[in-house]
Amino acid sequence: MQRNTYRAGPDERGHFGLHGGRFVAETLMPLILDVERAYAAARVDPTFERDLRYYLTHYVGRPSPLYYAARLTEALGGAKIYLKREELNHTGAHKINNCMGQILLARRMGKRRIIAETGAGQHGVATATVCALFNLPCTIYMGEVDIERQKPNVFRMRLLGAEVKPVTSGSRTLKDAMNEALRDWVTNVESTYYLIGTVAGPHPYPMMVRDFQAVIGQEVRDQLQDAEGRLPDSLVACIGGGSNAMGLFYPFLDDPSVAMVGVEAAGLGLSTSQHAASLAGGAPGVLHGNRTYLLQDGDGQILEGHSISAGLDYPGVGPEHAWLHDVGRVRYESATDDEALEAFKLCARTEGILPALEPAHALAHVIKAAPALPKDHLMVMGLSGRGDKDIFTVASALGVEM
Amino acid sequence: MSAQPQSGRIGRRFAALAAEGRAALVTFTTAGDPDAATSLALLRGLPGAGADLIEIGMPFTDPMADGPAIQAASLRALAKGASLSSTLELVRAFRADDQDTPIILMGYYNPIYRFGVDRFLAEAAAVGVDGLIVVDLPPEEDDELCLPALAAGISFIRLATPTTDQARLPAVMRHASGFVYYVSIAGVTGTAAASDQAITAAVDQLRRHTDLPIAVGFGITTPERAAAVARVADAAVVGSAIVSRLAAALDDQGQARSGLVEDVLALVNQLAVGVRTARQ
C-alpha cells in the first residue's frame, strides 16, 4: 500500500496490512474469484453505476439527510452534533446501500438464488427486500437466540417472501448464522450468491461492501460543505462488523484534520467476559474468510460476543477496521449496554428519534465526548438504523412489560 | 499412473499398498471425542481394525465446512477440554505403540495460527504428525502454513473439489504433497454422495495433473461405497459415518457407553473389508 494514503487498500490478495485475505474452502475459492472478477468489471461499468444510482435515489431514498441535532447539542453543551440519518432509508437502516449494490452484481453474474446471514435482522430485511424487488428466491440464516429477540424483523422477512432458517448450532447467534450460510453456499455453489452484510468475509467482500457503503461518507462530505462550508472535525459510528462506520469513515481517511472514533459494544463491561469488543479485547485470528481481531481463547476457539444489541455481538470486526486500528488512523472506543440504553432514551426525548441500539452505542460515546469539546467542533454521528425493532429489548431492559 | 515413491510414512504406506494392489482406508475421528481416554483407545485400535492412514480432527468451535455429525464431535471434545495441545499429546501417545501408520491432522487454521505456526510445526513433527489438511487455507494462502509445513517435513494435503476446474488445477497441485484429497461433492461433510461415474471422471482428470496418490472423501458411508471408491482411487476416506457410529454409542449425558470402542472399530473393520476386497 502507498504510504501517503489510507484509501489504497486492500492489496491484490485482499490484505489490509496483516488482516483480510481469502481463508475459504477450496470449493468456494473459484466462486470467490468469480465474484472478484465480476465486481472489478461492474465497478468500472457506467451502466452498473447508473442502475445503482437509480435505485438508491428512487427506491432507497438517498441522499439521507444530514441533520443538525440542535436539542441534543444544547443538552450536551459542547460540540455541534450532526446526525447522518441512515435510519430514514427504506427498510430503516444503512444495510440496504450494500444490498442494492450486491443484488445488482448477483444479477449480472446470472445467479438465481440469494442467501444471507443476519444478526439483528436489519441485513436480513434489506436482503429480503431487494430479493422481492428483483424476484429472486432468498434464504436468510439467523441464530435461534436472535430470532427470539428480533421477532418483528423475522416477521418482516417472511412477509417479504424470504425463507428464514433458524440456526441451532454453536451459540445460535450471528457467527453461527454465518457458518450456516457458508455451509449452504458450499453446497449450492453454482446457483447461489452469498450476500454478506458487513465489511467482513473473504476478499473481495470487505472492499466491496465498503465501496457500497461509502455513499454515506461521500454524502456527508457534500452536505456538511453546504451546511458549514468545511470538513467535519470528528466522525463517530458504532462497530459490529463495521459496515456503517467504514462507509462513513472511508471518504475522509486521507483528511488528517478529521478524527474518527469507532464504538464497539462493551456489553456488561470490558472487564467481564460479556462484551463484543473484538478490537479492545480480542487478538488477531482467522474466521469466516478473513484475518482480523477476534474474541477467542488461548487455544484459538472462538468466544461468544455479548451485547444488548443483536447487531453488534459478532466476535470479529471487518479487516479494514483491524488495520486502521493497528496503524492508529481510527480510534476505537466502547460503550456498555447501560450507556447505550441511556443514549437511546436521551435521543428519543431530545430529538424525537428512536435510534437502533447499535447506533445508540455511538451516541453513548458522543454523550461522553461532546461536552468537553468547543462549540465550533463539528461532530458527525452515523445514525445507522431506527429503533422500532428494539422496543421489546429496551422494554425488557427497563423492566416494562409489553 | 502409480504413485511415485515418496519419503516418509505416507509415501511408504501408499507404496506398500500399491505393491499389494489395493487402495487405502483412511479414517477420520475427532481428537478428544467423546473424551481423551476413549479417543486414544479408539486410535490405538484403528490400525488393527484396518485403517491404513488416520486422520485426526483438531476440534474447532466454528467448523464451517463440516456437517452436523462432525460439528457435534468438535463440540463434544471441546466440552471435555480438548485443545490443540491435547491433540498433539494424543498423537504422541499413539506413536508410542505405532511407528508406521501415517497420521494426518485435519481442521481449521485459527487454532494453529493462535498456537503459532512455527511452534505448532515443530511440535507436530516431534510427536510424529505426517500431514495436515487445513480446510480454510486454499493455495492463495500458501505462505501461511503450506510452505512452512513443507519446510518442516510435514505434508500439506491439497483438497480438490468439483468446482476446481482445469484452469485452476495446476495452481492447486503446485505445492501438493503426501496425497491429493478429492472432495467428491460440493457441500459439507456427511451429507450427500457423488455417483461412481462422477468420481471416476474426477479421479481420471486429477491423475493427468499429479502423480501423487488420490484419496476420495465426503459421502462415503458404507463398505459398499468405500469399495466402489477403492476401485478407482488410491484411498477412500470415511469420517462422518464413523463419528456418527461413535455418537450413537453415547449415553444421554454424552458419556461413552461400555463397548463404544469395539462398536466403532467393528464399523471400521467392515469398511476395511470393503476396501480390501474391492479389486478382487
Side-chain angles (χ1 to χ4, degrees):
Chain A
M1 259 172 252
Q2 300 167 45
R3 268 164 186 258
N4 57 350
T5 176
Y6 289 99
R7 291 164 28 103
D11 69 14
E12 72 283 357
R13 294 168 63 199
H15 294 138
F16 298 93
L18 175 68
H19 306 284
R22 288 175 291 207
F23 296 88
V24 296
E26 172 60 23
T27 312
L28 289 180
M29 199 58 221
L31 264 290
I32 299 281
L33 295 172
D34 275 355
V35 173
E36 187 183 345
R37 277 188 292 268
Y39 177 60
R43 74 193 300 201
V44 296
D45 180 349
T47 61
F48 183 83
E49 171 62 26
R50 192 194 61 211
D51 289 352
L52 180 57
R53 184 62 46 193
Y54 173 86
Y55 286 105
L56 289 180
T57 304
H58 299 287
Y59 188 77
V60 174
R62 300 210 72 87
S64 67
L66 180 68
Y67 164 70
Y68 166 49
R71 288 203 62 220
L72 186 62
T73 298
E74 194 186 340
L76 298 177
K80 190 171 184 184
I81 298 159
Y82 280 84
L83 303 177
K84 178 58 172 167
R85 302 286 304 274
E86 290 297 299
E87 101 282 10
L88 293 176
N89 294 335
H90 181 43
T91 73
H94 72 292
K95 292 292 187 185
I96 193 132
N97 303 326
N98 165 49
C99 288
M100 195 55 83
Q102 287 199 55
I103 200 80
L104 294 176
L105 183 70
R107 276 161 58 86
R108 270 175 84 99
M109 293 177 74
K111 296 296 177 182
R112 304 181 300 282
R113 175 175 176 264
I114 305 295
I115 57 171
E117 83 294 337
T118 198
Q122 293 303 102
H123 175 57
V125 167
T127 301
T129 297
V130 296
C131 286
L133 179 66
F134 292 106
N135 192 28
L136 285 165
C138 154
T139 299
I140 308 289
Y141 289 93
M142 188 167 186
E144 259 188 348
V145 170
D146 290 336
I147 285 179
E148 186 52 38
R149 56 183 174 172
Q150 300 290 342
K151 281 178 187 160
N153 274 342
V154 175
F155 186 55
R156 269 185 204 113
M157 285 185 268
R158 290 186 170 140
L159 285 174
L160 292 161
E163 177 192 20
V164 180
K165 282 203 175 169
V167 175
T168 57
S169 57
S171 58
R172 297 172 291 140
T173 59
L174 181 53
K175 89 175 167 72
D176 308 283
M178 201 153 177
N179 291 336
E180 222 39 55
L182 284 164
R183 289 179 187 123
D184 180 314
W185 201 21
V186 92
T187 307
N188 301 290
V189 70
E190 298 292 348
S191 66
T192 298
Y193 182 89
Y194 182 14
L195 208 163
I196 294 181
T198 191
V199 285
H203 178 66
Y205 282 96
M207 169 182 79
M208 178 166 68
V209 177
R210 173 201 73 198
D211 291 350
F212 289 139
Q213 292 294 2
V215 65
I216 301 171
Q218 284 150 8
E219 287 177 3
V220 166
R221 216 179 161 92
D222 294 343
Q223 290 166 322
L224 202 66
Q225 189 64 38
D226 290 347
E228 300 277 355
R230 67 180 182 92
L231 289 169
D233 295 302
S234 62
L235 306 172
V236 182
C238 63
I239 309 271
S243 68
N244 99 85
M246 213 52 243
L248 177 61
F249 296 167
Y250 185 71
F252 296 98
L253 287 175
D254 287 336
D255 296 293
S257 69
V258 181
M260 300 178 195
V261 179
V263 184
E264 297 191 288
L268 303 182
L270 293 182
S271 59
T272 73
S273 62
Q274 299 295 301
H275 66 78
S278 39
L279 291 169
V286 172
L287 181 71
H288 295 152
N290 59 170
R291 178 162 29 223
T292 187
Y293 284 86
L294 298 173
L295 298 179
Q296 54 182 320
D297 68 15
D299 189 44
Q301 306 299 336
I302 308 303
L303 300 173
E304 296 168 26
H306 163 82
S307 167
I308 191 171
S309 148
L312 299 182
D313 72 357
Y314 182 68
V317 62
E320 193 164 9
H321 284 297
W323 173 70
L324 291 168
H325 172 70
D326 285 353
V327 299
R329 175 63 185 96
V330 177
R331 193 156 54 87
Y332 293 89
E333 302 279 349
S334 65
T336 64
D337 288 354
D338 288 345
E339 290 168 337
L341 273 171
E342 285 307 310
F344 181 98
K345 292 193 282 186
L346 181 70
C347 192
R349 288 180 188 168
T350 58
E351 294 295 346
I353 298 170
L354 298 182
L357 283 171
E358 291 80 12
H361 287 72
L363 187 56
H365 176 79
V366 170
I367 291 169
K368 281 183 251 181
L373 293 165
K375 291 190 186 323
D376 63 351
H377 180 106
L378 299 180
M379 178 179 274
V380 177
M381 189 201 102
L383 184 44
S384 56
R386 68 180 180 218
D388 309 54
K389 71 181 174 60
D390 291 319
I391 54 172
F392 297 101
T393 306
V394 172
S396 153
L398 299 177
V400 177
E401 279 214 31
M402 287 182 60
Chain B
M1 203 180 293
S2 64
Q4 301 255 316
Q6 286 182 275
S7 60
R9 291 185 194 94
I10 296 174
R12 286 198 296 275
R13 179 55 52 100
F14 274 108
L17 296 180
E20 280 181 47
R22 71 169 178 92
L25 173 65
V26 183
T27 61
F28 173 95
T29 50
T30 298
D33 176 31
D35 58 74
T38 309
S39 183
L40 177 59
L42 193 53
L43 276 186
R44 283 183 167 148
L46 283 172
D52 299 300
L53 291 85
I54 294 174
E55 281 181 18
I56 300 176
M58 297 175 277
F60 183 48
T61 39
D62 294 78
M64 282 91 71
D66 284 300
I70 294 177
Q71 291 175 39
S74 248
L75 294 179
R76 282 194 299 269
L78 291 171
K80 288 285 171 63
S83 65
L84 192 50
S85 293
S86 67
T87 299
L88 292 167
E89 280 311 308
L90 187 70
V91 177
R92 188 196 304 277
F94 174 84
R95 274 276 171 263
D97 306 333
D98 186 321
Q99 288 299 312
D100 302 320
T101 306
I103 294 278
I104 294 107
L105 295 184
M106 181 166 188
Y108 297 81
Y109 185 40
N110 197 55
I112 296 171
Y113 180 69
R114 183 77 169 147
F115 196 87
V117 165
D118 293 340
R119 178 183 157 215
F120 169 74
L121 290 173
E123 294 194 18
V127 300
V129 170
D130 303 292
L132 300 174
I133 300 176
V134 182
V135 178
D136 52 357
L137 287 177
E140 280 73 6
E141 302 291 351
D142 270 356
D143 295 345
E144 297 284 338
L145 183 62
C146 171
L147 299 180
L150 295 178
I154 295 178
S155 293
F156 193 85
I157 312 300
R158 278 287 194 238
L159 302 173
T161 74
T163 60
T164 311
D165 59 21
Q166 290 278 2
R168 189 171 162 76
L169 267 177
V172 171
M173 294 304 170
R174 188 147 48 108
H175 298 122
S177 55
F179 59 94
V180 173
Y181 187 141
Y182 180 65
V183 174
S184 62
I185 55 154
V188 296
T189 52
T191 50
S195 69
D196 290 351
Q197 203 180 4
I199 290 173
T200 304
V203 170
D204 285 349
Q205 189 193 58
L206 286 174
R207 291 210 196 277
R208 289 196 285 277
H209 290 269
T210 183
D211 293 333
L212 290 170
I214 295 167
V216 174
F218 280 48
I220 302 171
T221 53
T222 63
E224 293 72 32
R225 291 302 310 148
V229 166
R231 278 189 274 278
V232 295
D234 303 302
V237 187
V238 184
S240 295
I242 295 172
V243 169
S244 296
R245 180 66 66 93
L246 183 156
L250 298 174
D251 67 18
D252 292 347
Q253 273 73 50
Q255 308 292 327
R257 288 202 190 105
S258 67
L260 178 148
V261 171
E262 294 73 14
D263 218 19
V264 174
L265 293 180
L267 172 64
V268 171
N269 192 246
Q270 289 162 7
L271 293 163
V273 170
V275 167
R276 286 167 196 229
T277 56
R279 296 184 195 167
Q280 289 171 10

